[in-house]
């Protein structure tokens, strides 16, 4: 049985493992956490740090190709593996996506609309900042590396707050971005094969709460014209990167203008609807493109779908640890996914619920259903 490797053993790695095993592959998960959700179901779990060369040798000797589930894997780890086996996406691509400065510069270079930003890497760069010339306040200071789910971000309204935030981040390189007045957020999840074959799922509408994805909705219908604008932009980004694998591009809509926010070189939380709504989900596409195959049909079997994230916060109601009553989550088209994480923590993604439109429902009705389910979880 051919083996596939994945660096990172969180929920994205777990869904990849399920897809790969379904297609007959054996999966080796590489993750330093001995309780990782993917490690628990993998055929083999190499539980070592990402810079452990002996462990990486073990991985390269036991599989032909490797992918990643998150962009914070050290690019050097991918570079090392790339010398011996197939690594998709490439270390080059991951090194761009894991550094906001490189990422913004890249997006600008390939002609993407990006919001105002400047690089803040020294106190001088703050002193030299001429906020009369660049509209940058109110802004968000974001660490260039290791940010996710809104972590590594501080809102700043002026230079004094900016300096304090920069120092709070130990003066690591950052981007300072203009905080946009958001009318909406969207994402495109796409897959691209080695010969440039491309598919994209319908544009996903996203709602975040304090920097973390809360609800996603897919109608598959181009009511606002996002399909025709976002998908070609996402395709251009993938082509410019000569991307092989699954990728997500996040967009902001602000005062009628569309901006590219960031790219994720992997399946994306907002693409989880595809697990239940599509014949081939985003993790199937990850396996297909990793193994040199074409991506497959991205069509939705269910025309409308919404997803509600379940965060660890749900366990901490009324100031004590309460196990949620997941048995109450049921109904036609309602599907609960739990990731098998050992310990709930605030802000930690523990699972999600998909609500499928089985026919005839309006988007509003599906989103109302999501809110009813949220209420059931929080009030019981
Ligand atoms: P992460 O890597 O944590 O996903 P993002 O840059 O995507 O970082 O930020 C997370 C969320 O914070 C976004 O989805 C959006 O809701 C909000 N946000 C980030 N940057 C901006 C901005 N420049 N203007 C307005 N909202 C923003
Ligand atoms: Mg984001």
């Amino acid at each position: 049985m051919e083996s596939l490797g994945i660096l990172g053993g969180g929920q994205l790695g777990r869904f990849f493992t399920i897809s790969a095993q379904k297609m007959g592959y054996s999966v080796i998960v590489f993750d330093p956490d001995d309780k990782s959700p993917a490690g628990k179901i993998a055929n083999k779990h190499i539980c070592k740090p990402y810079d452990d060369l002996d462990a990486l040798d073990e991985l390269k000797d036991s599989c032909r190709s490797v992918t990643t589930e998150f962009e914070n894997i050290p690019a050097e780890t991918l570079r090392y593996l790339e010398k011996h086996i197939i690594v998709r996406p490439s270390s080059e691509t991951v090194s761009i996506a894991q550094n906001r400065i490189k990422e913004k510069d890249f997006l600008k270079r390939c002609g993407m609309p990006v919001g105002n930003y400047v690089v803040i890497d020294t106190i001088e760069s703050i002193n030299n900042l001429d906020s009369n010339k660049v509209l940058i306040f109110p802004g968000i200071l974001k660490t260039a590396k290791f940010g996710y789910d809104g972590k590594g971000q501080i809102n700043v309204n002026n230079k004094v707050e900016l300096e304090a935030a920069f120092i709070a981040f130990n003066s690591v390189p950052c981007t300072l971005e203009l905080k946009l007045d958001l009318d909406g957020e969207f994402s495109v999840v796409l897959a691209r094969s080695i010969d440039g074959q491309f598919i994209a799922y319908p544009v996903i509408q996203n709602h975040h709460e304090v920097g973390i994805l809360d609800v996603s909705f897919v109608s598959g219908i181009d009511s606002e014209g996002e399909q025709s604008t976002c998908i070609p932009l996402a395709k251009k980004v993938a082509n410019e990167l000569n991307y092989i694998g699954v990728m997500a591009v996040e967009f902001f809509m602000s005062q009628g203008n569309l901006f590219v926010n960031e790219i994720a070189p992997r399946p994306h939380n907002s693409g989880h609807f595809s697990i239940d709504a599509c014949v081939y989900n985003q993790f199937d596409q990850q396996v297909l493109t990793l193994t040199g195959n074409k991506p497959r049909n991205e069509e939705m079997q269910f025309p409308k779908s919404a997803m509600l994230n379940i965060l660890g916060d749900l366990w901490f109601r009324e100031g004590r640890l309460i196990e949620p009553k997941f048995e109450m989550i049921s109904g036609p088209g309602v599907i609960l996914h739990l990731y098998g994480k050992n310990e709930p923590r605030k802000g930690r993604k523990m699972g999600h619920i998909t609500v499928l439109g089985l026919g005839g429902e309006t988007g509003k009705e599906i989103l109302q259903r999501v809110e009813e389910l949220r209420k059931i979880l929080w009030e019981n």
Side-chain angles (χ1 to χ4, degrees), residues 278-339:
C278 303
V279 180
Y280 291 99
N281 70 46
Q282 57 172 347
F283 303 96
D284 300 332
Q285 312 284 13
Q286 188 180 21
V287 176
L288 288 164
T289 48
L290 176 63
T291 52
N293 292 292
K294 292 185 188 45
R296 301 251 172 94
N297 189 344
E298 74 286 6
E299 271 168 38
M300 294 172 76
Q301 278 181 295
F302 298 95
K304 293 192 183 79
S305 170
M307 183 214 63
L308 171 70
N309 263 341
I310 301 169
L311 302 185
D313 304 55
L314 180 64
W315 277 252
F316 296 94
R317 284 160 289 158
E318 300 157 28
R320 62 197 167 93
L321 202 66
I322 307 175
E323 196 57 35
K325 293 210 172 65
F326 287 118
E327 64 278 11
M328 297 182 76
I329 298 303
S330 66
V334 174
I335 302 140
L336 171 71
H337 296 264
L338 292 171
Y339 305 148

Side-chain angles (χ1 to χ4, degrees), residues 114-130:
V114 291
N116 287 356
Y117 73 97
V118 291
V119 173
I120 300 293
D121 51 2
T122 53
I123 292 289
E124 288 81 73
S125 60
I126 299 177
N127 294 336
N128 295 339
L129 188 68
D130 187 349

Side-chain angles (χ1 to χ4, degrees), residues 73-109:
I73 301 283
E76 301 81 67
T77 299
L78 300 178
R79 242 172 261 133
Y80 181 77
L81 291 170
E82 242 161 22
K83 288 192 201 130
H84 309 279
I85 53 175
I86 295 166
V87 177
R88 291 176 180 151
S90 67
S91 62
E92 175 61 22
T93 304
V94 174
S95 74
I96 294 172
Q98 70 182 197
N99 183 322
R100 288 190 198 278
I101 300 171
K102 276 190 171 185
E103 181 180 49
K104 288 272 191 234
D105 291 350
F106 162 76
L107 290 169
K108 226 167 131 177
R109 229 180 315 123

